[in-house]
Amino acid sequence: MVSSRISFILEMTRRDFVERFAGSILGSLWAFIFPLVNLLVYLIVFGKIIGARLPGTSDMYAYGIYIAVGIIPWGSFSNTVTRSTNIFSDKKNIITKLNTPLPSLFVHVSLSEALTFIISITLMFIILALKGASFHCGYFLLPFVFYLQQILAIGIGLLTASLSVFITDIRQLVSVVMQLWFWFTPIIYVVDILPDFAQKLMVLNPMFYIVDGYHNIFVYGAYPVFKPLIILTVISHLLLAFSYMTFRYLEKDIRDFL
Amino acid sequence: MIELFFITGWTVIVVLAGNFLRKRFLGAKRIYMLLALNCLYLVGIFGCYPLVLQISGKL
């Protein structure tokens, strides 16, 4: 039972990855080309062409790295939430024809996004190594920060997916909220430039602590701030438990509606 | 190196505990138990890592 679920999740993830580049000559190689081009754009455009500098650092590429290490995890988070929200309508054919374990679909989305994240972060490591950056123990925490971020994403996605079957507006609402959330998270700007009231509001943004964790590890050579991450871990798991409870309550109706 | 030992050791303990819970509980109860264990795992990592860093003199 468990092994069949695992093979179902792995097969869905493999298909997702292969289908994304199906028919193209370079195939899966595009999965490396896209993030590589993005990373080089951030580093070259912001570092060399625009000449933007990160406050407190003299490194020419620091701002590019700052943006890249914020956007990569944000992309995974945002895609997981958005794709999870639409998962029941996107996989309607599979759900109605096969006896699909619905929670497995969320694991497959998260796994698929994790794969993209791993590729991008690996390329980032290669660029940092070529730049001569030194590696420290904070890097060991990267998988855990990402893991926490994905738990939060699945928690939100599972809830919105369950509700979006009955209220379709939720799909559009999630896209809008994610857009606003992106700009409310210090990914392309530094939190210090915000006015006082916005900095105080930032305490309520869970993605701030996660993105800040990545920034601390990659840009400042420091460790993430642990206390907010512990609180966020508990909140994310409570949210996921609540979402799962809601999903279990609605599961029969979801299948009937589809 | 001590950091890596801590992460590996804690992961092994949690995986073994997860395996035990998986066999002992069924249905939704199993999911909630595993979720609680997962939460404990991450809290353990983020909570104890600073202590490990202090022991190794890196913090």
Side-chain angles (χ1 to χ4, degrees):
Chain A
M1 182 74 179
V2 175
S3 62
S4 69
R5 276 192 187 192
I6 291 171
S7 57
F8 170 76
I9 292 167
L10 293 178
E11 179 58 22
M12 290 283 285
T13 311
R14 192 191 66 82
R15 275 191 194 185
D16 189 60
F17 200 72
V18 171
E19 279 171 11
R20 210 182 297 173
F21 309 104
S24 61
I25 297 167
L26 293 177
S28 298
L29 211 61
W30 283 112
F32 293 88
I33 296 171
F34 278 130
L36 184 64
V37 169
N38 278 338
L39 287 175
L40 291 176
V41 165
Y42 298 137
L43 293 177
I44 294 167
V45 171
F46 288 102
K48 276 206 161 174
I49 299 173
I50 298 177
R53 295 286 177 271
L54 195 68
T57 59
S58 55
D59 184 1
M60 185 167 68
Y61 297 107
Y63 187 59
I65 295 169
Y66 182 89
I67 292 180
V69 298
I71 281 187
I72 294 167
W74 174 265
S76 306
F77 175 75
S78 172
N79 286 344
T80 306
V81 173
T82 319
R83 286 180 62 192
S84 297
T85 305
N86 300 326
I87 196 94
F88 293 142
S89 57
D90 287 350
K91 304 285 178 194
K92 200 174 173 177
N93 290 339
I94 300 174
I95 296 168
T96 48
K97 283 174 189 160
L98 298 169
N99 184 23
T100 315
L102 298 184
S104 306
L105 294 172
F106 296 92
V107 181
H108 130 70
V109 169
S110 190
L111 215 58
S112 173
E113 290 305 325
L115 211 60
T116 314
F117 175 83
I118 289 167
I119 292 170
S120 302
I121 283 293
T122 307
L123 291 171
M124 188 76 216
F125 272 121
I126 293 169
I127 289 171
L128 286 176
L130 290 174
K131 212 178 123 301
S134 58
F135 292 92
H136 60 98
C137 293
Y139 285 99
F140 290 140
L141 291 170
L142 269 181
F144 303 103
V145 178
F146 179 73
Y147 187 42
L148 171 60
Q149 162 199 320
Q150 290 305 91
I151 292 275
L152 179 67
I154 297 177
I156 298 168
L158 183 59
L159 187 65
T160 51
S162 306
L163 298 175
S164 71
V165 175
F166 311 101
I167 314 162
T168 44
D169 291 54
I170 286 180
R171 286 174 213 161
Q172 278 72 38
L173 187 71
V174 165
S175 304
V176 173
V177 169
M178 293 313 288
Q179 188 74 15
L180 291 173
W181 200 347
F182 172 80
W183 289 106
F184 188 60
T185 306
I187 293 170
I188 58 164
Y189 57 87
V190 183
V191 72
D192 300 339
I193 65 162
L194 290 175
D196 277 350
F197 77 93
Q199 284 191 33
K200 279 175 190 160
L201 278 177
M202 199 60 82
V203 178
L204 302 171
N205 180 1
M207 275 310 282
F208 163 67
Y209 302 108
I210 288 171
V211 170
D212 188 53
Y214 288 109
H215 284 155
N216 278 342
I217 294 170
F218 277 100
V219 185
Y220 302 110
Y223 301 101
V225 187
F226 291 103
K227 205 176 165 188
L229 288 181
I230 294 170
I231 297 167
L232 190 57
T233 301
V234 177
I235 292 172
S236 302
H237 282 82
L238 286 175
L239 176 69
L240 185 53
F242 173 73
S243 302
Y244 185 70
M245 257 190 280
T246 312
F247 162 75
R248 292 251 322 162
Y249 182 72
L250 296 171
E251 188 174 5
K252 198 176 166 298
D253 295 329
I254 290 170
R255 285 187 188 274
D256 288 346
F257 253 73
L258 293 170
Chain B
M1 207 60 195
I2 190 171
E3 295 87 359
L4 213 55
F5 273 127
F6 160 68
I7 290 172
T8 316
W10 183 232
T11 306
V12 169
I13 291 168
V14 171
V15 167
L16 291 175
N19 204 30
F20 171 76
L21 287 178
R22 199 173 59 80
K23 285 176 182 164
R24 200 169 160 78
F25 294 97
L26 289 168
K29 208 171 182 181
R30 180 163 71 184
I31 302 286
Y32 295 123
M33 293 302 276
L34 290 175
L35 211 56
L37 183 70
N38 198 50
C39 182
L40 194 71
Y41 175 58
L42 281 181
V43 167
I45 293 279
F46 293 130
C48 298
Y49 204 76
L51 298 175
V52 176
L53 288 172
Q54 272 178 352
I55 291 167
S56 64
K58 284 172 185 156
L59 194 74

